Amino acid sequence: EILMTQSPATLSVSPGERATLSCRASQSVSGNLAWYQQKPGQAPRLLMYGASTRATGIPARFSGSGSGTEFTLTISSLQSEDFAVYYCQQYNDWPPYTFGQGTKLEMK
Amino acid sequence: EVQLVESGGGLVQPGRSLRLSCVASGFNFDDYAMHWVRQAPGKGLEWVSGLSWNSVTIGYADSVKGRFTISRDNAKNSLYLQMNSLTAEDMALYYCAKDLFRFPYAFDVWGQGTMVTVSS
């Protein structure tokens, strides 16, 4: 089973600033990585797949990069609606699919 | 509108069974793989099970293998999860999720979830 580790656990950033979230896989997942956003009381929402492809309707301020074992989600200029929990997920080797433990992005 | 609506959750005693359902609308259900993902209260996401558009490719998390069975009825636009021998560790909000493609990939549409509570 591939272990996904996200860092930091909590990230405090001011609106308008850049946020950088990291995700590391215990072995290579190639580019088969997705990012999800989850707000309290809501279902997760797909942000990125293929490590760097934005899902339908996702604003351009969200970008993803990386391959192999190291991945990054960047939010270029934080809006109030971006404060949420973010999960990475590998789909290169299944079963099982595995998620990271999440990064909580909070307002500074 | 693309929509997934789960049902079937509730309070169940340890060791008993429960069957979850998910009805899809707004897209060609038989063109996509489907999944169940769960989230225990205050915890992260855990993939439970998934299957391809034609039910040929099926996978389970180790934590549920041998106890849970995923299935789909493309004629009814429905996904199911039969859960047997439930334990307290199975207590969670269960989401139905649509895949991007016919075979397992990433999940682009999620339902609102159905809560499963396991308690005596």
Side-chain angles (χ1 to χ4, degrees), chain B residues 47-68:
Chain B
W47 175 82
V48 174
S49 182
L51 78 174
S52 59
W53 67 282
N54 57 2
S55 302
V56 169
T57 302
I58 294 178
Y60 297 96
D62 285 346
S63 58
V64 307
K65 197 176 298 182
R67 299 188 300 121
F68 289 13

Side-chain angles (χ1 to χ4, degrees), chain B:
Chain B
E1 179 191 5
V2 176
Q3 194 171 13
L4 299 171
V5 179
E6 303 94 336
S7 62
L11 175 63
V12 62
Q13 293 179 328
R16 304 299 292 265
S17 299
L18 210 56
R19 189 194 195 207
L20 305 184
S21 299
C22 169
V23 177
S25 59
F27 64 99
N28 294 327
F29 182 73
D30 54 8
D31 274 344
Y32 298 94
M34 296 293 296
H35 303 265
W36 290 99
V37 178
R38 67 186 181 184
Q39 187 169 35
K43 301 298 184 181
L45 301 170
E46 180 188 17
W47 175 82
V48 174
S49 182
L51 78 174
S52 59
W53 67 282
N54 57 2
S55 302
V56 169
T57 302
I58 294 178
Y60 297 96
D62 285 346
S63 58
V64 307
K65 197 176 298 182
R67 299 188 300 121
F68 289 13
T69 301
I70 190 173
S71 61
R72 65 190 296 164
D73 185 337
N74 288 343
K76 295 183 178 179
N77 290 345
S78 294
L79 177 73
Y80 306 101
L81 186 68
Q82 177 66 42
M83 304 186 297
N84 298 331
S85 304
L86 286 162
T87 72
E89 286 66 44
D90 297 316
M91 187 162 70
L93 184 64
Y94 283 72
Y95 292 105
C96 168
K98 168 189 168 294
D99 206 291
L100 278 167
F101 302 113
R102 287 191 163 195
F103 289 93
Y105 203 73
F107 319 141
D108 67 334
V109 180
W110 298 62
Q112 286 304 302
T114 186
M115 186 67 200
V116 173
T117 302
V118 183
S119 177
S120 55

Side-chain angles (χ1 to χ4, degrees), chain A residues 12-91:
Chain A
S12 299
V13 183
S14 300
E17 293 188 340
R18 175 188 296 259
T20 302
L21 289 67
S22 297
C23 176
R24 174 177 292 179
S26 61
Q27 64 189 74
S28 177
V29 298
S30 187
N32 296 315
L33 185 107
W35 289 94
Y36 300 86
Q37 176 194 66
Q38 187 178 32
K39 297 179 181 179
Q42 296 186 16
R45 177 174 71 146
L46 178 66
L47 297 175
M48 315 286 303
Y49 61 93
S52 60
T53 301
R54 279 190 301 276
T56 302
I58 302 304
R61 64 180 181 273
F62 290 89
S63 63
S65 64
S67 66
T69 62
E70 301 283 343
F71 299 89
T72 300
L73 176 71
T74 301
I75 310 171
S76 59
S77 178
L78 278 166
Q79 307 296 304
S80 57
E81 61 266 29
D82 299 334
F83 294 98
V85 179
Y86 291 82
Y87 295 95
C88 62
Q89 175 230 340
Q90 69 82 20
Y91 50 88

